[in-house]
């Protein structure tokens, strides 16, 4: 291994060590959209096998009856035609075979299909991702394929394969050893009794194999879930970056809000010359009101505090707008209204008195 490879390996280890935080909901959603969902193929296989096994065990009398009827009908067909296999006989035999085989296999195949679908839905839910069936050059890249051959997932699959072979071999061998003395005496039994015994023994072996494979499947599912959670783990920096992407950069958001305030301030100052009166605190607050006969109530067209209040009073002075000092009213208007709002009904009387004073001062009454 070269120095460059060692350096890359150290970087990978460092990145793995930094991923100590649980995945965020957004990270999990993105993984699910890419098809990265914890699932165990072993669990699907075991449930399919179990469903097929139970179907055989339940419907075996019907299967035997159907097979017996099929063989009898085939024999009758041959004898009726003097064992002459012509085209019509072959056609009828083919149709009968298809129908009988379908009847025999339908419970097994149907049960296995239903079990496979239910197992998949139970693990991943109802998901259909078109992106997973798109052609991707990375999937046929020999370098990536070589890496996958020596990955942890490939090692886990190899271990599972060895375990499955071991389970089947061990269960079959141990059962054979137990029944060895009986097997030696099968020659003394009639064909029906020996066939029934061999069939029962085979069923017992199959059931024990399925049980052991079920234990392996549960362990595999736990491993896949743990592996999935480990892969989704994030570093603190990744969580911060994701928050910035979702919520926006705080500095950028601050600049946007600042720009919005400046634009709102500019519009407010442009409409200020239309005010009829400016009510002040006198130094801390300033609220500009506008009123004409088309309005239901006076409207706040500008308001401000401290430096903004000072600027409002300066513009009011430049445009000969009357300024009235009324501390309680100025505070109530500043805290109880927004720009563009009509004054609340409880302030009608106080504002009316101020406007009456302004109109009298301007000689409008």
């Amino acid at each position: 291994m070269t120095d460059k490879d060692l350096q890359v390996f150290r970087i990978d280890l460092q990145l793995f060590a930094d991923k100590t935080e649980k995945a965020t909901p957004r990270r999990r959603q993105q993984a699910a959209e890419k098809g990265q969902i914890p699932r165990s193929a072993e669990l699907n296989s075991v449930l399919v096998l179990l469903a097929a096994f139970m179907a055989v065990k339940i419907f075996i009398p019907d299967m035997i009856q159907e097979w017996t009827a099929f063989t009898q009908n085939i024999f009758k067909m041959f004898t009726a035609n003097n064992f002459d296999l012509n085209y019509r006989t072959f056609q009828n035999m083919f149709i009968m075979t298809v129908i009988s085989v379908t009847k025999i296999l339908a419970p097994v195949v149907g049960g296995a299909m239903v079990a496979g679908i239910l197992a998949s839905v139970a693990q991943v839910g109802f998901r259909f991702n078109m992106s997973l069936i798109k052609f991707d050059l990375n999937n046929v890249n020999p370098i990536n394929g070589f890496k996958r051959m020596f990955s942890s997932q490939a090692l886990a699959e190899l271990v599972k394969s060895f375990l499955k072979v071991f389970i089947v071999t061990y269960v079959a061998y141990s059962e054979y050893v137990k029944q060895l003395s009986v097997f030696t005496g099968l020659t003394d039994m009639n064909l029906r009794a020996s066939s029934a015994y061999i069939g029962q023994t085979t069923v017992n072996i199959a059931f024990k194999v399925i049980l052991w494979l079920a234990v392996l499947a549960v362990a595999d599912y736990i491993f896949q879930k743990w592996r999935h959670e480990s892969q989704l783990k994030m570093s603190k920096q990744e969580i911060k970056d994701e928050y910035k992407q979702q919520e926006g950069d705080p500095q950028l958001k601050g600049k946007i809000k600042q720009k919005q305030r400046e634009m709102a301030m500019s519009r407010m100052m442009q409409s200020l010359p239309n005010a009829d009166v400016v009510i002040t605190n006198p130094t801390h607050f300033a609220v500009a009101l506008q009123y004409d006969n088309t309005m239901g109530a006076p409207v706040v067209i500008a308001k401000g505090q401290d430096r903004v209040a000072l600027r409002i009073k300066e513009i009011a002075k430049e445009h000969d707008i009357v300024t009235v000092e009324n501390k309680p009213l100025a505070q109530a208007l500043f805290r109880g209204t927004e720009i563009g709002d009509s004054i609340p009904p409880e302030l009608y009387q106080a504002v009316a008195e101020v406007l009456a004073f302004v109109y009298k001062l301007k000689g409008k009454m």
Side-chain angles (χ1 to χ4, degrees), residues 296-340:
V299 175
V300 177
I301 63 172
K303 71 173 189 175
Q305 186 176 4
D306 298 331
R307 286 184 297 178
V308 179
L310 181 61
R311 180 59 181 158
I312 290 174
K313 288 188 288 184
E314 290 175 353
I315 295 176
K317 186 175 181 181
E318 292 173 1
H319 292 83
D320 295 326
I321 299 172
V322 178
T323 300
V324 176
E325 179 182 335
N326 188 324
K327 294 181 181 180
L329 182 57
Q331 292 178 4
L333 288 171
F334 183 84
R335 295 191 173 96
T337 61
E338 297 295 334
I339 297 173

Side-chain angles (χ1 to χ4, degrees), residues 230-246:
S230 300
Q231 290 176 337
L232 289 184
K233 279 187 176 181
M234 306 170 66
S235 64
K236 294 181 180 180
Q237 185 61 42
E238 286 177 331
I239 293 177
K240 290 179 181 179
D241 293 341
E242 183 185 278
Y243 176 79
K244 286 182 179 180
Q245 290 178 356
Q246 289 183 321

Side-chain angles (χ1 to χ4, degrees), residues 181-219:
S181 59
V182 180
F183 285 153
T184 57
L186 288 179
T187 55
D188 299 331
M189 300 181 185
N190 59 45
L191 181 60
R192 186 169 184 176
S194 61
S195 299
Y197 179 79
I198 293 174
Q200 184 62 42
T201 303
T202 304
V203 169
N204 293 337
I205 292 174
F207 185 68
K208 290 180 180 179
V209 168
I210 291 174
L211 286 180
W212 279 105
L213 290 179
V215 174
L216 178 62
V218 172

Side-chain angles (χ1 to χ4, degrees), residues 3-4 23 89 139 155 171 185 217 274:
D3 294 340
K4 185 177 180 180
T89 304
N139 294 333
L155 179 61
V171 172
N274 299 322

